[in-house]
Each structure stands twice: as structure tokens, then as C-alpha cells.
Amino acid sequence: IQPTQSAFNFKGIAISDFASVIEINWGDSPNIRLEQISLQTATGELSGSAVLNGEQPKLRAQLAGGSNLSELFAFVEVETLIRPMGFWSGNNLSFSQQFDSWENFNPIGKTSFEGNLQLKEVSFGISESNINFEKVEAELTVKENDIRVDRCFVQSGPNNAVASGVVNNALYGRPQVILRLESPFIDADPLLFWEFEDSQDSNEDFGFDFQVDLFVDQLNLGEFDGRGLRGIIYNQQTKLLGRAMRIDGCGGTFRGNWALAEEEEGSRFWSNASCTSIELDQLLKSFDSFDIDDLDESNLKGSANATAEMTFYFDEEWAVQST
């Protein structure tokens, strides 16, 4: 069979133009092969080949092409992304799905998807947060249940960075994001306003784990300007943590570990840190005198070395509660 200019719908996707060379062997073990596939959708096109065979028929396809992300996510649903938009293109794409029988074609198990992907003009939000990425350009390799991030440029508000790494269990299960992130400048204020959903179960969180190895040239946090940020940021459910952190600022260097946890009416920031050669007037100016009324950069000067364990409490607007 050699259909041309055929049209149909598959999983809600409208195929406007389909052509192929189809070979059907309808014996004891049916076998259907599709060669020279060419199809067009509302936003893109695909080409390749496919085969459907076995007692519980399994569809295997090798494809290349591209379209809007909305059509890609009709095949693969990723719950951690909100309103993904943009375009994808790919090659060496492998798609497979097994079905119950030749009579019913009820899907069995998960859809398998592998290949090399390029993303352009992409934007999306992260579930249960108010963090949005306005621009993403990426080169990805999907294999089994993981996504290797060969290179990914991301922009969110005033921040931009280049990331590489891997997303384990990206398609099914609990995703684990492990990235190396390099950036010339990060404004941390927008990133702090992470929205937590109210829940009676303290074990619930935003559905994925992450670990980011930071290489940031300049960091701005309110009035604090730092340079050479290094360290690892990761999560434990909704708690954010920093390990082996280092940054230059206020005339010296800060080092240590920290944790940021949700409280009933705000947040709690804990740090076990050390600092060397810190200029006290710069420190007070950077952190608004730590909410101490009669002490500021005008009446405390000099430098300090320190090792301390500190806990700060913030209200819902991220104002420090001095008590």
C-alpha cells in the first residue's frame, strides 16, 4: 500500500499530509512495515520508518524532524514543567510502544523515547514555584529514562547561565537534575521567592530533586555584591541547602554550608560559616546592619575573621526578624 496525501488524527495530533510505502504480512504473526514515511502536522514535519509486529504488537519507529513542543508533549508528559512552549528538532529519534493485542491496541507500559534533540525559543515554568524561564536554547540526548544536557542556555528575568549535566528519571519516576551551571551574573532576589503549596503531608514537595554545581562570576543579593561564587546547591524535599560554598565580598572571603527551610509564617536560614578579612562597615551596609537600630557602617569599622553558626528568621516578605 502506498498512501499519499492522507490525513488522520493520532493522540489528538492532526496529521495533515501522510505518505509512505506500507508492507503488510497478515499471517499467524502479523507484521506491518512502513518505509519512506513523510508526515506533516500543524507545526512541523517528520520522516523515517516504522514496524509493528509480535503477538502483543510493539510499534518501533525511527524518525527525524521537528515541530512545536506542544505536539512533542502529547507523546511524553512531564509533570514538572508548566506551560512549555517553543520548538524542537531532532534526529536519530527512536519511539516504541507495546499494545495489548491486535484487536484492542490498549497501550502496555510506558512509551520509550530516545534520540538527539535541539530546543529553540523555549519557555516554561517549574511546578509549584514562581520561577519561569523566558528563553531556553538546548542540545539534549535522550536515552531510556534519562536526558543528557550537552549544552543549555537559560534566561530567567535578569539572570542567564549555561548549564550542562544530566536529568535522571526525566520521563518517568522522580526526576533528579544534576547540573554544572556557569553564569557571568546572578541576581538572587527573584530566586528566593519560591512558592510552597499548603499541604498536610510534610513529605510532599515539588516533585523532583536537584544538585547544581555553581560557577558564578558575580552575585547580587539585595545590597550585597559578591564575586567568584562556588559551591553546590541541592534540595531535600522543600529544603534548599548549600555545601562547600565560597564567595568573595565585603573586602574578604566567606566560606561555609547553609540551609533554607520553610517555616509556618516565613523561612529559616541556617549557616555554619567562616569569613576572613571582612570589612565590617561593608558587611553592615550590605545586610542593613542585620536589623540592629543603633549600629551601622558609620560607627563600626575595621576588619574581622570569624567562625560562627548563625540562624536568621524571615517573615513572608523576606524581612529579617531580629528576635
Side-chain angles (χ1 to χ4, degrees), residues 43-312:
T43 65
E45 57 184 25
L46 288 173
S47 62
S49 61
V51 61
L52 180 66
N53 58 14
E55 293 184 4
Q56 289 184 313
K58 187 171 186 177
L59 173 65
R60 301 177 183 86
Q62 296 291 328
L63 301 171
S67 70
N68 191 284
L69 278 175
S70 61
E71 294 183 333
L72 178 63
F73 283 110
F75 290 99
V76 182
E77 182 179 355
V78 181
E79 296 180 353
T80 54
L81 301 184
I82 304 299
R83 296 181 298 276
M85 301 177 64
F87 299 90
W88 70 273
S89 61
N91 55 70
N92 298 322
L93 303 178
S94 175
F95 169 82
S96 65
Q97 175 68 63
Q98 192 162 26
F99 301 93
D100 183 31
S101 68
W102 287 91
E103 290 79 17
N104 296 320
F105 274 94
N106 296 316
I108 298 176
K110 302 294 186 180
T111 303
S112 174
F113 179 78
E114 298 183 1
N116 301 316
L117 291 174
Q118 295 80 44
L119 304 180
K120 294 182 179 180
E121 302 177 27
V122 172
S123 63
F124 61 87
I126 298 179
S127 64
E128 300 186 30
S129 83
N130 63 352
I131 296 180
N132 291 285
F133 293 95
E134 291 88 15
K135 182 179 180 181
V136 178
E137 307 280 344
E139 298 177 4
L140 311 173
T141 300
V142 182
K143 187 169 184 179
E144 296 179 350
N145 199 19
D146 304 328
I147 298 177
R148 191 181 75 223
V149 182
D150 298 314
R151 182 185 181 278
C152 180
F153 171 83
V154 294
Q155 178 179 340
S156 178
N159 302 311
N160 64 80
V162 176
S164 60
V166 65
V167 183
N168 295 316
N169 299 317
L171 305 181
Y172 306 110
R174 183 180 178 85
Q176 183 182 31
V177 182
I178 303 174
L179 295 176
R180 173 190 173 97
L181 186 143
E182 302 178 47
S183 176
F185 173 81
I186 292 292
D187 183 354
D189 279 342
L191 301 178
L192 289 177
F193 291 91
W194 193 278
E195 295 177 347
F196 299 95
E197 285 194 349
D198 294 331
S199 173
Q200 300 299 321
D201 187 353
S202 60
N203 293 322
E204 290 189 8
D205 56 26
F206 38 79
F208 65 97
D209 297 312
F210 66 88
Q211 176 178 304
V212 181
D213 201 347
L214 294 174
F215 294 84
V216 179
D217 294 335
Q218 290 185 299
L219 172 74
N220 174 260
L221 176 59
E223 296 297 322
F224 174 76
D225 292 312
R227 302 174 308 280
L229 174 63
R230 303 290 185 269
I232 299 172
I233 293 180
Y234 61 105
N235 78 301
Q236 292 177 354
Q237 297 182 351
T238 56
K239 182 186 293 185
L240 306 181
L241 303 99
R243 183 174 71 243
M245 304 295 291
R246 179 195 184 281
I247 189 170
D248 296 328
C250 299
T253 302
F254 298 91
R255 294 180 175 87
N257 304 321
W258 58 266
L260 179 63
E262 178 190 17
E263 297 282 306
E264 289 186 2
E265 296 182 355
S267 302
R268 172 173 51 87
F269 179 84
W270 169 90
S271 176
N272 189 348
S274 66
C275 61
T276 56
S277 303
I278 298 301
E279 298 297 329
L280 295 178
D281 55 345
Q282 294 186 35
L283 180 68
L284 293 174
K285 182 178 180 181
S286 297
F287 294 98
D288 195 23
S289 299
F290 299 99
D291 206 28
I292 303 173
D293 294 333
D294 56 353
L295 189 66
D296 58 38
E297 68 271 17
S298 68
N299 57 17
L300 181 61
K301 300 193 181 292
S303 62
N305 302 325
T307 299
E309 180 177 343
M310 299 171 288
T311 301
F312 294 100

